Amino acid sequence: MSFGAALPAVDVAGVPADALVLDVREADEWAAGHVEGALHVPMSAFVARFGEVTEAVAEGRRAYVMCRVGGRSAQVTQYLVQQGIDAVNIDGGMLAWEGAGRPMVTDNGSPAFVL
């Protein structure tokens, strides 16, 4: 059986409201605005913090992987799939999320935006 190079992906409208969103952007990007309840594990720290990810998906949850436009999250999604984790890349990332009018928050209550 061959899976080819196709990476599992979903557009922002296909992300359930209660989804486990894994945000792999850096701290400054996260601070500007993020999906409420998302798990923030920057790509730069991903290998060191991989245990947090496996713990979050332990209940058989799918990880919806997010970055700014979809490049970094595609790399992380590919890695997760190779580890046997159910993961999908969010096409268009936070820019598409914001463009679709999906809710975003900040930790300090200021207006959220995509950096």
Side-chain angles (χ1 to χ4, degrees):
M1 179 154 61
S2 173
F3 292 99
L7 187 68
V10 64
D11 66 26
V12 293
V15 179
D18 63 347
L20 168 61
V21 175
L22 173 60
D23 191 324
V24 299
R25 298 174 303 148
E26 295 305 313
D28 58 337
E29 295 173 288
W30 168 268
H34 55 268
V35 176
E36 188 168 13
L39 174 60
H40 181 225
V41 181
M43 186 173 170
S44 61
F46 197 80
V47 173
R49 294 179 56 192
F50 184 65
E52 292 174 52
V53 178
T54 57
E55 201 172 284
V57 297
E59 311 87 56
R61 295 177 76 188
R62 167 175 281 172
Y64 291 83
V65 190
M66 168 91 78
C67 68
R68 184 171 185 266
V69 294
R72 288 171 287 178
S73 56
Q75 293 176 54
V76 171
T77 300
Q78 184 173 33
Y79 176 77
L80 291 172
V81 169
Q82 289 170 344
Q83 305 307 309
I85 293 172
D86 183 7
V88 294
N89 188 36
I90 300 176
D91 278 338
M94 283 300 295
L95 288 176
W97 187 273
E98 181 181 47
R102 302 270 324 239
M104 299 188 319
V105 297
T106 60
D107 292 337
N108 64 10
S110 62
F113 66 97
V114 178
L115 182 66

